[in-house]
Amino acid sequence: MITLSLAEIAEIVGGQSYDIPDPAVTVTGPVVIDSREVAPGSLFAAFAGERVDGHDYAVRAVEAGAAAVLAARPVGVPAIVVDDVVGALGALARAVVERLGTTVVGLTGSAGKTSTKDLIAQLLQRKGPTVWTPGSLNNEIGLPVTALTATAETEHLVLEMGARGVGHIHYLANLTPPRIGLVLNVGSAHLGEFGSREAIAQAKGELVEVLPEDGCAVLNADDPLVRAMASRTKARVLLFGEAPEADVRGEKVRMTADGRPAFELHTPTGCSDVTMRLYGEHHVSNALAAAAVAHELGMSVTEIAEALSEAGTLSRWRMEVTERPDGVTVVNDAYNANPESMRAALRALAAMGQARGADGGRTWAVLGQMAELGDASLAEHDAVGRLAVRLNVSKLVAVGGREASWLQLGAYNEGSWGEESVHVSDAQAAVDLLRSELRPGDVVLVKASRSVGLEKVALALLENSTEGEVAGR
Ligand SMILES: Nc1ncnc2c1ncn2[C@@H]1O[C@H](COP(=O)(O)OP(=O)(O)O)[C@@H](O)[C@H]1O
Ligand SMILES: [Mg+2]
């Protein structure tokens, strides 16, 4: 955050000052939405949530050092009162980013936003101070809060933008107008809410519509719906992918024996070899996207290749690979799931199994529901179950209710599997089963939509004790 007086903030957000003895007092700390995170000089933004009302914590926030509260009503302590706290937060972010003049990179897509944002951050950090979305805080609150952590030193601001409907990306992109806008892919995440892939493309493409003429639209050459967005922007287009026309291109793409992507990276500055530390072939596309952004910001192909080869995971529960002392490998990809990411993760699991050779262990896919698929839900769960069999995964453990039964039935119908796929009712049952069955050399993938909370299984398998219960069963 840059230093702003309460009077300046009130003017920017069009708010009324209440209980402010000295409007020249400045906000120097971060803008926070959780009163427990207040630091001296913070601005505490109070939201009325479903269960807690931030306004009830206003006094506590000021006692903890907040300079003032951004609120929807007077709260008895220094406050800037507005009708719409979310809108005010956005307006403040817009004003601050404008004053900073930092280069904003915005990215969206159906799958891989967080992974790619973390890669971009690791590349750009080598060039200069970079601020990026922590985890997945990509909505109308998380985005301005992140943007407001930028300071005068910040050279790059990398912002993940999520959409649950038409107009959302437009809103976010107007708060912090990007010079570089990246669209990764159009898949079926939130298909239920959007209705069709074309509707999703319409919504994701809002990002490139706001780019200025001297901006750059970074588009996936391998995804026809993304590539078609070139016609919706005034900005210059930079294509990434494996297609021959891609400006930033992966060639000789292969997987290492243990399931990590390796490829030859081509950019307009030359060519260099990349072998990633991250697992899963879906990272090829994410890496090429990140490389395109870094190229646009002036990094050479050798710098980019080196950074991509060293990059790790910054956000939790995304293909987090841990080997236990007894030789069982747990792949915690339980952060989220949709049909594309399920397929990518299953292929990574199969590759890791193959890398262990014929006398290596077995591969286990512990999978749960993919949420928000609307009418496509049955067919998509069925298809994922079938793919597990086709990839020769040793055992599918489907966890949960109706959707899990569709996963298991797909696997059952696809093969001669029978007993090699199993349906269990909850995380604890999965853990009990795995604890009695796992052998050294086995690889276990854990994955489902966020709402399922299947990371409980991975965390339980990684606990030292073998008796522990699944937390929060
Ligand atoms: N390019 C991609 N295509 C398909 N799946 C992907 C891709 N990148 C990541 N994934 C998978 O999608 C899931 C969500 O990844 P994440 O990076 O958090 O995406 P998002 O932020 O878009 O939800 C993870 O399980 C990951 O393994
Ligand atoms: Mg995300």
Side-chain angles (χ1 to χ4, degrees):
M1 176 83 180
I2 48 173
T3 302
L4 288 173
S5 71
L6 296 182
E8 284 174 301
I9 293 175
E11 192 185 327
I12 289 167
V13 303
Q16 289 275 351
S17 297
Y18 281 84
D19 308 302
I20 295 182
D22 181 4
V25 163
T26 53
V27 170
T28 51
V31 176
V32 299
I33 59 173
D34 181 335
S35 61
R36 289 166 299 187
E37 290 171 11
V38 164
S42 299
L43 180 67
F44 171 58
F47 291 102
E50 272 168 33
R51 281 174 298 131
V52 272
D53 185 348
H55 295 86
D56 297 340
Y57 296 86
V59 174
R60 198 174 303 177
V62 170
E63 278 168 6
V69 182
L70 185 61
R73 56 173 190 268
V75 280
V77 287
I80 296 165
V81 175
V82 292
D83 291 337
D84 169 15
V85 179
V86 176
L89 197 60
L92 186 58
R94 182 167 47 217
V96 166
V97 169
E98 208 168 40
R99 285 181 201 195
L100 287 174
T102 169
T103 301
V104 178
V105 178
L107 77 155
T108 192
S110 294
K113 293 181 292 298
T114 297
S115 308
T116 306
K117 175 262 300 171
D118 288 347
L119 284 173
I120 295 172
Q122 290 175 80
L123 299 190
L124 297 189
Q125 250 186 326
R126 296 185 174 225
K127 229 187 135 259
T130 303
V131 165
W132 63 93
T133 307
S136 233
L137 296 178
N138 64 20
N139 67 10
E140 69 281 14
I141 296 174
L143 181 129
V145 166
T146 303
L148 285 164
T149 62
T151 66
E153 280 74 51
T154 307
E155 281 179 29
H156 320 106
L157 184 54
V158 185
L159 296 171
E160 176 175 332
M161 299 183 180
R164 300 181 74 85
V166 169
H168 291 177
I169 298 286
H170 179 83
Y171 175 82
L172 297 175
N174 274 306
L175 293 188
T176 50
R179 186 172 86 64
I180 300 176
L182 160 63
V183 186
L184 289 170
N185 46 45
V186 171
S188 32
H190 304 303
L191 190 57
E193 282 138 30
F194 283 102
S196 70
R197 284 165 68 96
E198 284 67 28
I200 298 175
Q202 189 57 36
K204 305 280 178 209
E206 290 166 11
L207 178 58
V208 300
E209 286 175 349
V210 306
L211 294 171
E213 240 162 76
D214 63 349
C216 180
V218 179
L219 298 176
N220 189 343
D222 302 329
D223 185 324
L225 286 175
V226 175
R227 205 169 157 163
M229 291 175 194
S231 66
R232 292 168 64 184
T233 187
K234 304 189 283 291
R236 191 164 33 84
V237 171
L238 188 68
L239 292 176
F240 69 91
E242 293 178 48
E245 319 78 74
D247 306 290
V248 172
R249 201 169 54 254
E251 288 186 13
K252 305 199 180 111
V253 175
R254 61 210 178 270
M255 302 300 284
T256 64
D258 62 347
R260 292 173 297 130
F263 54 91
E264 227 176 65
L265 174 66
H266 292 254
T267 79
T269 71
C271 142
S272 190
D273 286 321
V274 173
T275 303
M276 297 186 79
R277 273 175 56 205
L278 301 180
Y279 289 85
E281 65 185 33
H282 53 285
H283 282 307
V284 174
S285 178
N286 299 342
L288 294 172
V293 170
H295 166 73
E296 173 63 21
L297 288 170
M299 284 176 72
S300 73
V301 71
T302 39
E303 274 178 297
I304 298 172
E306 194 181 294
L308 284 176
S309 300
E310 287 172 11
T313 43
L314 297 184
S315 301
R316 287 179 311 170
W317 306 337
R318 288 165 179 82
M319 294 300 281
E320 241 176 60
V321 180
T322 314
E323 189 172 335
R324 300 199 316 199
D326 68 352
V328 168
T329 301
V330 177
V331 183
N332 183 354
D333 197 31
Y335 184 75
N336 217 343
N338 57 55
E340 289 78 27
S341 71
M342 276 290 196
R343 286 193 271 276
L346 280 175
R347 282 196 283 266
L349 173 69
M352 292 170 84
Q354 268 167 17
R356 278 161 175 74
D359 41 84
R362 298 158 300 170
T363 46
W364 297 73
V366 183
L367 307 182
Q369 183 193 355
M370 300 174 283
E372 300 170 348
L373 290 176
D375 292 342
S377 187
L378 193 156
E380 294 288 8
H381 285 89
D382 181 75
V384 165
R386 287 172 191 273
L387 181 65
V389 176
R390 270 186 231 140
L391 290 170
N392 233 348
V393 168
S394 315
K395 189 140 182 163
L396 170 71
V397 181
V399 188
R402 193 177 56 160
E403 288 77 7
S405 72
W406 294 339
L407 282 169
Q408 198 251 331
L409 207 60
Y412 183 84
N413 288 335
E414 182 69 23
S416 53
W417 262 29
E419 290 183 352
E420 278 119 290
S421 64
V422 55
H423 178 201
V424 298
S425 58
D426 61 14
Q428 184 66 53
V431 171
D432 293 343
L433 172 81
L434 290 161
R435 280 195 176 133
S436 66
E437 297 274 334
L438 288 177
R439 296 198 300 254
D442 285 0
V443 188
V444 190
L445 166 73
V446 183
K447 186 167 178 69
S449 272
R450 181 86 295 278
S451 52
V452 181
L454 212 58
E455 71 279 356
K456 281 181 282 200
V457 172
L459 298 176
L461 292 178
L462 291 172
E463 269 170 18
N464 293 332
S465 97
T466 50
E467 306 302 325
E469 286 276 295
V470 173
R473 185 181 181 175

